[in-house]
Amino acid sequence: MSGDQVEAAVASCTATLRAAADRDWEAVNAAGLEWSCRTTAFHIAEDFAGYASRLAARARHRLPLRITLPEGTDNAGILQVIEATGALLAAAVRTAPPGVRAFHPYPFGTADREGFAAMGVAEALLHTHDIARGLGLAYEPPAGLAESVLGRLFPHVQPGPEPWPTLLWATGRGELPGRAPVTDWTWYNNLVIPAGRVTLTGIRPAAARDLALGGDGGFDWLDDGPYEGTREACTYLVKAYEAGVHRPEFGVFALVRPEDGRAVGGIGFHGAPDEDRRVEIGYDLVTGARGQGYATEALRALTEWALARDDVGTVLATVEPDNLPSQRVVTRAGFTRATVEEEPATDHGHAGDEQLLLYVRRP
């Protein structure tokens, strides 16, 4: 997701609202909000400016930045401000390196350039909808924009038959047949976890689909990466997303080296924790990255992240009996061989396979 989508969302917004620029936007509330249509329109510009400045500055917190409208600014002037601040956000997204992240509170504290682009598009689409409904205007953005927002900010939401009604439903603005109304919602930027010399970068459903189909998922892979295990894991991630059971914090991560931005492997969970608070981890590395300790650092970091949660009490890993390097990795990461008594009690996915060795780590 790039500056192109931001510009398309701005164009969709301003083209719709310009048709009612001669109306009194202050006298009418945006649908579903306590803000007037004028306040809501300016809010879009405020978000664009805030997102652009944070991303450009690589901000670690909210910036002391505020934009204001001169007294007497009419609706046409507000639309110009939306266009100007939207252009700033598009430029910030285009010029930010792939690995750069900046502050955003929901839900993991930061977002990358795709996240800021998606949030900007979401603000434009959703609040244009709110204003248009308040003013009695028809509005439906390009389906591709809504689909991109869903795939990047709503990975926990099962795709619907049409992306725009699904996005409205997911944000409490509409109904979908067979689904309960949404009264409380949030979006999800991808989770990133520092892991020594690599960063574990959460793979979004759109990127996972590309990887599953043989693409690079938007990552710059070392050598001939990714390894087949990562592609297979991404296939399962896409299936979970399409079934509406994907939990993004328990998905798949790329191991990215910060110094050169190269992805050297993949690591992730086989699913969300079960009813006994158990979760299983799998990992692989591209050939040229093996034997350098990357897997150990990644496995240790992701395991410790999981065990710090209230919903995880046991982390499992399974290894082939003849894979001595992987056995050393799990041992260095703090795992121990399951006892004879533990193995039946911790049967979890592949852990019941007699051809695999089960390793366990607990707090």
Side-chain angles (χ1 to χ4, degrees):
M1 202 163 192
S2 70
D4 293 348
Q5 283 81 11
V6 175
E7 290 176 344
V10 171
S12 172
C13 165
T14 55
T16 298
L17 299 185
R18 192 164 280 119
D22 59 342
R23 301 269 299 277
D24 185 355
W25 291 4
E26 189 60 48
V28 180
N29 274 11
L33 303 178
E34 296 180 356
W35 296 339
S36 70
C37 289
R38 178 182 173 87
T39 298
T40 306
F42 184 54
H43 172 75
I44 297 173
E46 289 179 308
D47 280 338
F48 285 166
Y51 294 162
S53 60
R54 288 186 210 167
L55 184 57
R58 283 64 161 162
R60 298 300 179 188
H61 48 73
R62 294 184 189 275
L63 295 177
L65 174 71
R66 182 184 178 189
I67 63 172
T68 60
L69 291 175
E71 186 176 349
T73 302
D74 60 9
N75 295 337
I78 294 178
L79 293 177
Q80 287 183 314
V81 174
I82 289 175
E83 290 173 332
T85 53
L88 290 174
L89 177 58
V93 169
R94 289 191 177 107
T95 56
V100 165
R101 299 185 73 85
F103 172 78
H104 190 276
Y106 303 116
F108 303 123
T110 64
D112 61 8
R113 63 182 186 181
E114 283 202 31
F116 278 105
M119 290 188 293
V121 171
E123 295 285 356
L125 269 53
L126 295 171
H127 287 315
T128 300
H129 162 82
D130 301 337
I131 298 168
R133 281 192 60 200
L135 296 173
L137 302 174
Y139 177 65
E140 182 168 346
L145 291 179
E147 185 176 16
S148 293
V149 170
L150 284 169
R152 286 161 177 80
L153 295 183
F154 295 87
H156 55 298
V157 171
Q158 183 179 20
E162 298 293 337
W164 178 233
T166 303
L167 181 58
L168 292 177
W169 169 81
T171 57
R173 289 172 165 84
E175 298 180 355
L176 277 185
R179 300 197 193 185
V182 172
T183 57
D184 187 26
W185 62 273
T186 188
W187 57 40
Y188 282 80
N189 280 293
N190 63 332
L191 175 63
V192 167
I193 301 173
R197 292 169 297 153
V198 293
T199 298
L200 309 186
T201 303
I203 297 177
R204 298 176 170 96
R209 182 177 286 109
D210 183 58
L211 284 163
L213 294 174
D216 60 17
F219 295 96
D220 180 13
W221 292 91
L222 183 69
D223 297 338
D224 55 349
Y227 197 65
E228 193 57 37
T230 297
R231 296 196 187 279
E232 183 179 5
C234 286
T235 299
Y236 289 115
L237 187 158
V238 172
K239 290 180 179 178
Y241 170 60
E242 293 175 344
V245 296
H246 175 52
R247 287 180 59 183
E249 65 270 41
F250 288 102
V252 183
F253 301 79
L255 279 61
V256 180
R257 295 191 306 209
E259 71 268 16
D260 60 6
R262 307 296 298 277
V264 299
I267 189 169
F269 299 96
H270 289 197
D274 64 17
E275 63 276 9
D276 294 315
R277 299 169 60 233
R278 301 174 303 207
V279 68
E280 185 175 352
I281 286 182
Y283 54 89
D284 63 22
L285 293 175
V286 302
T287 304
R290 296 174 187 172
Q292 302 177 50
Y294 291 131
T296 300
E297 293 175 17
L299 180 60
R300 183 183 296 121
L302 190 57
T303 299
E304 291 174 354
W305 175 88
L307 290 174
R309 296 174 57 93
D310 293 336
D311 54 354
V312 176
T314 303
V315 178
L316 309 175
T318 54
V319 184
E320 295 85 355
D322 59 349
N323 191 342
L324 297 181
S326 191
Q327 292 175 39
R328 288 192 288 269
V329 166
V330 295
T331 300
R332 287 194 296 265
F335 287 74
T336 58
R337 278 289 305 276
T339 65
V340 174
E341 293 76 17
E342 284 177 317
E343 290 200 18
T346 56
D347 182 18
H348 186 81
H350 298 297
D353 191 330
E354 294 181 358
Q355 302 304 312
L356 297 175
L357 304 178
L358 176 65
Y359 286 79
V360 180
R361 182 172 169 186
R362 297 185 176 90

